[in-house]
Amino acid sequence: MTLRQRAGAFHGPTTAQRLRRAANLLNGSTLAGLAVALAARTRISRGPRGLIIAAGYRWRLPFAHAYTLGNVVLCRSTAAELLSRPVLLGHEERHSTQYAWCLGLPFIPLYLAAAGWSVLRTGNPGTGNIFERRAGLAAGGYPLTAGRRR
């Protein structure tokens, strides 16, 4: 964690981040994230900007290094390692906002449909996925161009 990140942590979340946190609590997606985090026996800690970090995720699916359920970012690494990757954390934070806009858990089937469409079009679940594109393809570790075209 850099000095700048530590300094920002003292200021707390912005109004928009507090609204996102409240929306994701009310729509149940953060509670679902906490349930998965507890079931997976992760180490839960408070993250920046109203996020919750669930570190040490070991279940096989999904394959990603990190993924988000509501305001909970589940990651395979330690919290410190995730915090040292602010680009990836920002990508996951944008997914947290997408949960709020999709009214919570409806985000999951919408995301899966977008990932399926992306695989059909590009051969990759992220490259043509509207949710990944809006969260930042490179930030999430996805290729920017399609492997195959129609």
Side-chain angles (χ1 to χ4, degrees), residues 40-42 54-62 65 67 74-78 81:
R41 296 185 167 184
T42 63
Y57 180 82
R58 297 286 175 245
W59 289 358
R60 292 183 72 190
L61 293 175
H65 174 76
Y67 75 100
L74 295 107
C75 65
R76 298 185 182 282
S77 66
T78 65
E81 289 169 344

Side-chain angles (χ1 to χ4, degrees), residues 13-83:
T14 65
T15 300
Q17 292 160 351
R18 283 194 301 273
L19 286 171
R20 178 188 64 213
R21 182 175 52 198
N24 284 338
L25 272 172
L26 290 172
N27 67 36
S29 59
T30 294
L31 296 176
L34 288 170
V36 170
L38 289 170
R41 296 185 167 184
T42 63
R43 181 167 277 172
I44 298 170
S45 61
R46 188 175 291 179
R49 302 180 299 279
L51 297 174
I52 299 166
I53 298 175
Y57 180 82
R58 297 286 175 245
W59 289 358
R60 292 183 72 190
L61 293 175
F63 299 115
H65 174 76
Y67 75 100
T68 303
L69 284 170
N71 269 35
V72 180
V73 180
L74 295 107
C75 65
R76 298 185 182 282
S77 66
T78 65
E81 289 169 344
L82 180 61
L83 290 170

Side-chain angles (χ1 to χ4, degrees), residues 1 4 31 34 45 59-62 68 79 81 92 104 107 112 115-116 119 121-123 133 135-136 144-145 150:
M1 185 180 282
R4 183 177 205 169
L31 296 176
L34 288 170
S45 61
W59 289 358
R60 292 183 72 190
L61 293 175
T68 303
E81 289 169 344
E92 297 304 328
F107 172 80
L112 292 173
V119 168
R121 291 187 60 229
T122 70
R133 294 186 74 75
L144 301 178
T145 58
R150 280 196 148 195

Side-chain angles (χ1 to χ4, degrees), residues 3 16 21 24 28 32 43 64-65 67 79 91 101 104 106 115 124 130 132 135 137-139 142 146-147:
L3 183 59
R21 182 175 52 198
N24 284 338
R43 181 167 277 172
H65 174 76
Y67 75 100
H91 174 88
W101 281 109
N124 180 282
I130 186 67
E132 292 299 347
L137 288 176
Y142 294 99

